[in-house]
Amino acid sequence: MLLGQVVRGVSVALFVSGASAVKGKEKRQDEPPPVATCTAHLLIDDFSTWEDGVNTLEGATSDDATMNSTSIDGDILTFTPNNIDESYIYEQFECVDTIAQGYDTLSFSVKGPAAASVGIELQTKADCAAEEYQSFYYTVNGLSGSLQSISVPLGSFVDANLNGVVGALWYAFSAGMTGTDNVWQLDDVQLLCAGVPPPEDPVPTPTEPAPTEPTTTEPETTEAPPPTEPPVTVTTTVYVTDPEGGVSTTTES
């Protein structure tokens, strides 16, 4: 119902009764639904579908095509960077409002050379409705040389807007102490839910020794010496006839 009033010479229409209630209801429908708070970690990629080019969240994952080699062994990505200034691995996924949903840490398992370092790029938008993203960086130093869990608080990416996280990238794979060992592994990329215990370090897969063939020792054989022949005695008898017709003999051995 409309009531007309004149306030200081200006005609004003006032909404009363049911009309104002309808307007208020329409306004509440325009509000976004509340975001559920996390109760578990959000797995981004366990690399079980790496060869299909998709991660666990059905986003894109791959390398930049400069790796010397990449392979999957037991759902762990193993790769050899060609150039630490160029080679990288990336993960893309639907926008996550980590503040509203309660995720506070980027976690992953990694194996690199002992004492090596690796750079991480976090890609975020101003909010999940924005089109463009910005990149923010962090470096992990002093790797152990074994497969280990790394947890990087999202607040470590200085100035990043954590209301719109859309991707992560690993780059700058250093060669470590030896300068020659540059084989890397990556697994279990996830956003950790605050209040839920973080993942433990992965247990190394025991290496079973190769089976050994039973060895058999052939008995040694000694050849018998050849039989010794008895000595041979040669007897020579010489017959001599003298002029008178007699015969004499001489025997020699």
Side-chain angles (χ1 to χ4, degrees):
M1 179 177 180
L2 292 174
L3 296 179
Q5 270 190 344
V6 177
V7 180
R8 293 184 180 179
V10 179
S11 178
V12 179
L14 300 179
F15 290 90
V16 297
S17 187
S20 61
V22 171
K23 183 177 180 181
K25 184 176 180 181
E26 291 176 351
K27 182 177 180 180
R28 287 194 296 271
Q29 288 178 341
D30 293 338
E31 295 175 356
V35 178
T37 303
C38 64
T39 58
H41 305 318
L42 179 64
L43 181 62
I44 297 172
D45 204 354
D46 61 2
F47 297 97
S48 59
T49 54
W50 164 264
E51 293 179 351
D52 298 326
V54 295
N55 54 37
T56 306
L57 296 180
E58 298 185 354
T61 181
S62 187
D63 63 271
D64 66 332
T66 67
M67 296 290 177
N68 284 336
S69 65
T70 58
S71 63
I72 295 295
D73 183 10
D75 288 343
I76 297 177
L77 177 64
T78 300
F79 56 96
T80 305
N82 179 53
N83 188 321
I84 65 172
D85 295 326
E86 297 180 3
S87 300
Y88 61 84
I89 300 287
Y90 68 86
E91 299 281 356
Q92 295 176 336
F93 42 87
E94 289 293 327
C95 183
V96 179
D97 186 340
T98 60
I99 294 178
Q101 297 183 43
Y103 300 109
D104 64 355
T105 301
L106 176 66
S107 173
F108 54 93
S109 296
V110 66
K111 178 183 181 296
S117 62
V118 58
I120 308 166
E121 174 184 328
L122 188 71
Q123 299 169 346
T124 73
K125 296 180 177 181
D127 56 54
C128 286
E131 294 294 330
E132 297 182 354
Y133 70 81
Q134 290 182 302
S135 296
F136 302 87
Y137 304 94
Y138 184 83
T139 300
V140 176
N141 295 302
L143 296 181
S144 67
S146 301
L147 192 64
Q148 62 186 115
S149 270
I150 300 294
S151 295
V152 181
L154 294 178
S156 300
F157 298 93
V158 180
D159 295 332
N161 190 334
L162 303 179
N163 294 102
V165 178
V166 295
L169 182 149
W170 290 259
Y171 69 101
F173 304 96
S174 74
M177 291 188 299
T178 65
T180 57
D181 178 13
N182 60 345
V183 177
W184 289 73
Q185 290 184 322
L186 188 64
D187 196 17
D188 292 334
V189 180
Q190 51 192 328
L191 289 171
L192 301 190
C193 183
V196 177
E200 298 179 355
D201 274 352
V203 177
T205 303
T207 303
E208 296 183 359
T212 56
E213 295 285 339
T215 57
T216 56
T217 304
E218 296 288 339
E220 294 183 3
T221 57
T222 303
E223 295 185 2
T228 303
E229 296 184 0
V232 179
T233 302
V234 179
T235 302
T236 305
T237 303
V238 179
Y239 295 88
V240 180
T241 305
D242 57 31
E244 297 179 354
V247 178
S248 63
T249 62
T250 303
T251 302
E252 296 180 355
S253 296

